[in-house]
Amino acid sequence: MTAPNGSLLSAPPEVRGKRVLVYSLGIEGRDLAGWLLANGATVVISDTRSDEALAAAGAHAPRGVLRLVSGEPLLDPSGYDLVAVSQSVLRYNPALQRARELGIPVTSQMRLFMQLCPGKTVGITGSSGKSTTTALVGGMAREAGIDSIVGGNIGEALLGHLSEISPDTTVILEISHTQLQYTDRSPAIAAITNITPNHLDQFSWDEYVGLKRNILAHQRRGDSAVLNADDKTSRALMASVKGRLVRASILEEQPGPGAWVERGEIVVRGDGRPQPVLPVEAIRLRGQHNLANVTMACAIASEAGIPLDAMARAIRAFTGVPHRLEVVGSVNGAAWVNDSIATSPERTIAGLRAFSEPVVLLLGGRDKNLDLDGLRELARSRCRTVVCFGESGDLFCTAMRGAVADCTRVNTLDEAVALAATRTAPGDVVLLSPAGTSFDAYPNFEVRGEAFRAVVRALPGFTEEVSP
């Protein structure tokens, strides 16, 4: 099991009888701990969050864990045989630097899964759109009756599903840049929806692009890379593709295999002539960004051998993923929309562009050190009211003032909802599209979105499921 200089393991570790330190008790940490325990390891878990924060996140140590150390810096790895790390722990964390100094091998959930998975893997990453694209490809596989599993960053405990996966199973993975910190395998079909500035509070731009590129780095000649031809940074990666290059575009026909929009239809081409999938007007998702996501999903599905009719049925039925332009309901004629997954200005811009109605925009959370100029200019024409909340409320409010006549700063999301309810008129859209992470007040964007739903549903006059 040894690896020189604390390097990442290139093969699954033999863990029986070994002492393993797991960093973080999130979904990945619990999945890692469960797999390690089932394979005979002794497991200690270290998480910097307090017991109260862990309980609020529903994070409980699996039965059999020797010890959980919480509310203090990550444990020193000295004396352990292996460190197993969740994606939330970045590769330059001092605890991992210490492991490298001590020569203790390191692995991660995604790394282990890719090493152990016997099925055909489809991996999807990108700065935005990867959740929608992954969920839609999963729906297409189900419509086709293909034995498949959807997981990864979308929230599944991957290692716990290994026993369900055979060589005939198609495994469809959403993979984040932080998961790509630790991988040494690439999916058989690797897709990048786009690469735009994001997470610059964690990595430099070059580091961030390098992490996204890592999904392609270990591909072989018989593998496929599906790239967005409309995205400048993704196009630059095309020259480094080792296997079959597949392009997706909503702007123009592409050479070779791929998917694009032509005369109001999505069409795909495998190895033959272009074939229509369905009319663009049949897509139930709003916005050009979602047209791009659907087109990318068709390109991926074609490479995965999913029939055209199954693609079309899945698209017609697909209404999106939770917390992404999710209509919660209506209050006095104004629609309330949950876009909590929008944790960057770029995602908020895409959300705003999905609506022609006047928007009351809720911005807030924790800033990622990303440029706000584009959001400010779009808000000038799309928003008549902006309510800013949370840790970066002052930053967002300063950026919006002068562009939007009515911009107010409050402390919490609950206060933002209460204030927005007094500023709406019939026909408005109240859009929670925060442009910041949830980590100032919530463990993840899902919990923030759930909190938004709950407080909106408690407003006087609320009614369910009214499309904006």
Side-chain angles (χ1 to χ4, degrees), residues 21-25 29 45-46 74-77 83-86 89 95-96:
L21 178 58
V22 174
Y23 285 147
S24 180
L25 189 57
I45 300 177
S46 175
L74 294 176
L75 287 178
D76 188 295
V83 170
V85 59
S86 297
V89 181
L96 293 180

Side-chain angles (χ1 to χ4, degrees), residues 13 16 31 82 94 98 108 181 190 241 255 279 316 366 381 437 463:
R16 187 165 300 280
D31 191 32
L82 174 68
R98 174 69 171 157
S108 73
Q181 293 178 102
V241 170
R316 291 180 187 277
R366 178 167 293 169
S381 61
T437 73
T463 59

Side-chain angles (χ1 to χ4, degrees), residues 19 21 23 67 75-81 83 95 98-99 102 104:
R19 193 165 185 236
L21 178 58
Y23 285 147
R67 185 162 56 111
L75 287 178
D76 188 295
S78 179
Y80 290 88
D81 301 303
V83 170
R98 174 69 171 157
L102 295 171
I104 299 170

Side-chain angles (χ1 to χ4, degrees), residues 91-429:
R91 60 189 181 186
Y92 50 73
N93 187 285
L96 293 180
Q97 293 176 346
R98 174 69 171 157
R100 289 190 284 272
E101 292 170 0
L102 295 171
I104 299 170
V106 175
T107 193
S108 73
Q109 183 215 40
M110 186 60 70
R111 187 181 189 86
L112 263 177
F113 182 79
M114 293 293 289
Q115 291 169 343
L116 294 165
C117 178
K120 181 177 182 178
T121 51
V122 177
I124 300 164
T125 194
S127 299
S128 59
K130 58 184 178 294
S131 296
T132 297
T133 304
T134 302
L136 184 50
V137 174
M140 292 172 174
R142 287 191 297 275
E143 284 289 343
I146 292 172
D147 177 21
S148 60
I149 284 179
V150 178
N153 195 54
I154 211 164
E156 282 289 337
L158 291 174
L159 297 170
H161 284 293
L162 279 170
S163 62
E164 306 167 23
I165 300 172
S166 75
D168 296 324
T169 304
T170 297
V171 182
I172 303 159
L173 301 170
E174 178 189 326
I175 307 178
S176 70
H177 70 290
T178 45
Q179 287 172 318
L180 288 166
Q181 293 178 102
Y182 303 111
T183 54
D184 69 342
R185 302 283 194 281
S186 290
I189 300 172
I192 300 176
T193 60
N194 48 60
I195 307 177
T196 56
N198 205 342
H199 302 286
L200 300 187
D201 56 333
Q202 298 176 327
F203 299 98
S204 70
W205 169 244
D206 287 344
E207 289 173 330
Y208 178 65
V209 173
L211 290 174
K212 292 299 188 186
R213 184 191 295 115
N214 200 37
I215 199 171
L216 308 174
H218 308 286
Q219 283 199 308
R220 301 175 182 178
R221 187 174 296 277
D223 294 335
S224 298
V226 186
L227 300 179
N228 182 353
D230 302 335
D231 177 62
K232 178 181 178 180
T233 307
S234 300
R235 286 198 306 272
L237 301 181
M238 290 182 180
S240 62
V241 170
K242 298 174 183 176
R244 174 178 164 99
L245 174 59
V246 180
R247 297 173 174 89
S249 171
I250 64 171
L251 300 179
E252 58 186 355
E253 180 178 351
Q254 296 299 305
W260 60 90
V261 177
E262 182 176 306
R263 297 186 182 91
E265 288 189 309
I266 296 179
V267 300
V268 299
R269 177 167 53 212
D271 294 316
R273 299 173 62 182
Q275 300 290 326
V277 180
L278 86 172
V280 169
E281 64 184 16
I283 299 170
R284 299 174 68 182
L285 306 179
R286 279 183 174 243
Q288 288 292 100
H289 66 292
N290 274 319
L291 176 58
N293 293 335
V294 173
T295 305
M296 172 66 70
C298 289
I300 296 166
S302 179
E303 283 301 290
I306 296 174
L308 297 176
D309 59 343
M311 294 185 209
R313 289 197 303 272
I315 294 167
R316 291 180 187 277
F318 189 70
T319 58
V321 297
H323 313 293
R324 183 51 167 156
L325 295 180
E326 172 194 9
V327 178
V328 179
S330 179
V331 179
N332 299 325
W336 290 70
V337 179
N338 171 20
D339 197 31
S340 181
I341 199 173
T343 61
S344 70
E346 182 204 21
R347 288 193 175 192
T348 301
I349 287 170
L352 282 173
R353 285 177 174 160
F355 299 98
S356 58
E357 300 88 343
V359 174
V360 176
L361 178 63
L362 277 54
L363 291 176
R366 178 167 293 169
D367 176 52
K368 289 181 172 179
N369 192 32
L370 298 172
D371 184 78
L372 297 173
D373 287 348
L375 177 56
R376 171 188 169 88
E377 289 309 305
L378 186 61
R380 186 188 300 275
S381 61
R382 298 294 179 98
C383 303
R384 59 179 182 77
T385 299
V386 176
V387 182
C388 302
F389 65 92
E391 182 178 284
S392 296
D394 288 337
L395 176 71
F396 286 120
C397 216
T398 298
M400 293 299 115
R401 283 185 180 135
V404 180
D406 182 14
C407 182
T408 306
R409 163 79 158 101
V410 297
N411 290 321
T412 67
L413 177 58
D414 286 12
E415 291 172 350
V417 169
L419 180 62
T422 70
R423 306 288 175 90
T424 61
D428 283 356
V429 169

